[in-house]
Amino acid sequence: MTTESTSITRLTEAVVDSLEGTTEPRLRELLAALTRHLHAFARETRLTQQEWEQAIGFLTATGQTCTDTRQEFVLLSDVLGVSMLVETINSDGRGSATESTVLGPFHMTESPIRELGADIDLVGGGEPCVVSGRVLSRDGTSLPGAVLDVWQANAEGYYDVQQPEVQPAGNGRGLFTTDAEGRFWFRTCVPSPYPIPTDGPVGGLLRATGRHPYRPAHIHFIASAVGHAPVTTHIFVAGSDHLDSDAVFAVKASLVKDFAETDDPSLAREFGIPNPFRHARFDLVLNPAPPGPKD
């Protein structure tokens, strides 16, 4: 072992040893692992001083791009696949429950409470659509009173927080409570594929690596119910562009749903929507909550 490699190894060991006074065991474990992997990365790539300064500048710009309505660090985590990796690690063993996926960077504001059947598309311009289904426990039991947080981009692919001068606050968002049979339904427009924001550091990273910024058409959901573990998920529009190349790696086959063309005047009247319309039907299945710590 050379003198240089010995000193490098000792440096890593010294930093890890300096963490021994950390009183929280999990924090100590995380910081020690982060130190080892970060030092290993620098050794493996022979990282230069200029490259490290550029990396610090990139992270600084990422933080400076964050606002109350934009989370560039979440976007960075998404495009590097870390968000999906962490989500997948923590959702292993979901069994027959609905698969989870990323939260995304636009769950930034509280969704307005809406009645079942309400229209979350406040600006129009898209193809009318009804989304309906049930929230169920894994054993098939309906979950009345389950809460469903919903958000999506408009027909042009923008969220309300991206266009405050165009879209009213809460457009494309709704907080619904299932009925006595665990059912939910609401009106909206068929979502469109859209690019994630590219005017910040993450966009520069995508351009530098020759990657496109597009996400397939989707609607976000968080479903929760008493006694059950909540699930954060999407449904993706079957046949949408970019299903096989989602910029944030979030597509799962079980979450791709048909937004079927429906020509049914009586059903359209029941939903209060022009006929014909598109109709997406799906159920959200929740796992029972894990037992709490024993006394």
Side-chain angles (χ1 to χ4, degrees):
M1 182 179 291
T2 66
T3 302
E4 180 188 18
S5 61
T6 301
S7 64
I8 288 174
T9 301
R10 286 177 178 169
L11 173 61
T12 301
E13 292 171 352
V15 177
V16 172
D17 289 346
S18 75
L19 303 171
E20 285 302 312
T22 309
T23 56
E24 170 53 50
R26 178 60 171 167
L27 177 60
R28 184 169 62 249
E29 177 187 6
L30 292 172
L31 290 175
L34 175 63
T35 298
R36 292 191 185 98
H37 285 281
L38 186 56
H39 283 219
F41 165 78
R43 290 196 303 270
E44 177 187 338
T45 61
R46 303 296 299 177
L47 193 66
T48 68
Q49 189 71 38
Q50 181 183 16
E51 289 165 344
W52 186 233
E53 289 174 357
Q54 288 174 329
I56 291 173
F58 175 82
L59 293 175
T60 300
T62 299
Q64 291 170 338
T65 305
C66 296
T67 68
D68 289 343
T69 57
R70 175 168 178 167
Q71 235 306 345
E72 193 78 358
F73 268 113
V74 171
L75 200 61
L76 177 60
S77 174
D78 289 348
V79 303
L80 292 178
V82 180
S83 299
M84 197 61 203
L85 177 61
V86 172
E87 186 65 46
T88 302
I89 290 169
N90 286 277
S91 63
D92 267 0
R94 291 195 62 81
S96 59
T98 298
E99 290 193 277
S100 59
T101 188
V102 299
L103 180 69
F106 293 113
H107 190 251
M108 302 292 296
T109 59
E110 187 173 331
S111 295
I113 296 171
R114 301 193 192 278
E115 297 294 327
L116 291 173
D119 193 348
I120 66 172
D121 177 19
L122 308 181
V123 296
E127 187 175 5
C129 172
V130 171
V131 179
S132 66
R134 296 176 298 165
V135 180
L136 307 168
S137 186
R138 196 171 62 186
D139 64 4
T141 304
S142 297
L143 294 176
V147 176
L148 203 62
D149 190 357
V150 180
W151 68 104
Q152 71 170 84
N154 67 4
E156 284 72 47
Y158 293 98
Y159 289 85
D160 57 344
V161 295
Q162 293 178 283
Q163 294 183 312
E165 72 289 350
V166 175
Q167 299 186 48
N171 185 53
R173 302 179 190 267
L175 197 64
F176 298 94
T177 301
T178 59
D179 69 8
E181 297 179 30
R183 297 177 301 182
F184 67 89
W185 63 96
F186 59 90
R187 291 172 289 156
T188 184
C189 63
V190 178
S192 303
Y194 65 83
I196 60 175
T198 57
D199 58 338
V202 173
L205 176 64
L206 292 179
R207 287 187 292 274
T209 54
R211 289 174 53 188
H212 75 71
Y214 284 91
R215 300 216 59 208
H218 62 274
I219 302 176
H220 294 264
F221 295 85
I222 300 175
S224 58
V226 174
H228 291 75
V231 63
T232 298
T233 194
H234 298 14
I235 57 170
F236 296 91
V237 180
S240 173
D241 292 338
H242 313 297
L243 283 172
D244 60 350
S245 61
D246 182 7
V248 306
F249 308 99
V251 177
K252 295 182 177 180
S254 68
L255 304 179
V256 179
K257 303 297 179 182
D258 187 22
F259 282 60
E261 294 185 4
T262 303
D263 187 355
D264 186 332
S266 62
L267 189 60
R269 284 194 296 272
E270 180 181 337
F271 284 131
I273 196 168
N275 190 64
F277 61 99
R278 301 277 288 277
H279 191 180
R281 298 177 176 89
F282 78 105
D283 295 337
L284 287 149
V285 181
L286 306 185
N287 274 324
K294 295 181 180 179
D295 295 331

